[in-house]
């Protein structure tokens, strides 16, 4: 799921049920702001499971600045917890894409 994120956490994967958890296999972020760098975090419930930093574009020409990771060992969310993404700077123009799957325990 891809979404525009801001300082408030945005849910990217709903809570899967009482005996299941979300697993994150990859994250990708794009920052089109020309001046604002920002911290980006992936959370399971209220627990941070990944931190990243996306630099500003640094030029006024069209384009974007991207960052992300693919996880050989998926990030493991808590049982019954939603996955969300939070951006440390509200004025950054960041889009997030999170890949993963749901599995039992």
């Amino acid at each position: 799921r891809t979404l525009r994120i801001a300082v408030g956490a945005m849910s990217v994967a709903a809570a899967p049920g009482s005996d299941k958890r979300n697993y994150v296999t990859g994250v990708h972020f794009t920052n089109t702001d020309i001046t604002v760098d920002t911290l980006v975090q992936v959370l399971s419930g209220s627990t941070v499971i990944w931190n990243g930093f996306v630099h500003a574009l640094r030029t006024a020409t069209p384009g974007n600045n991207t960052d992300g990771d693919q996880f050989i060992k998926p990030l493991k969310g808590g049982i019954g917890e939603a996955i969300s993404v939070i951006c440390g700077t509200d004025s950054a123009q960041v889009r997030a894409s999170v890949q993963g799957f749901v599995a039992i325990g």
Side-chain angles (χ1 to χ4, degrees):
R1 182 172 173 205
T2 301
L3 63 150
R4 163 76 170 84
I5 57 175
V7 171
M10 301 291 291
S11 179
V12 293
S18 61
D19 62 340
K20 297 177 183 168
R21 46 175 103 229
N22 286 302
Y23 290 85
V24 177
T25 58
V27 294
H28 183 257
F29 302 98
T30 303
N31 187 1
T32 57
D33 193 280
I34 62 171
T35 59
V36 179
D37 300 331
T38 190
L39 170 70
V40 179
Q41 297 179 314
V42 176
L43 297 91
S44 175
S46 60
T47 303
V48 175
I49 59 174
W50 184 85
N51 285 294
F53 191 81
V54 183
H55 291 283
L57 183 59
R58 302 284 186 230
T59 177
T61 59
N64 57 51
N65 197 19
T66 63
D67 196 9
D69 275 320
Q70 294 297 314
F71 307 110
I72 294 171
K73 181 179 179 184
L75 303 176
K76 188 175 177 181
I79 292 176
E81 291 183 346
I83 297 293
S84 55
V85 176
I86 192 167
C87 186
T89 308
D90 192 38
S91 61
Q93 296 177 29
V94 176
R95 293 194 182 274
S97 177
V98 177
Q99 301 82 43
F101 60 92
V102 175
I104 294 175

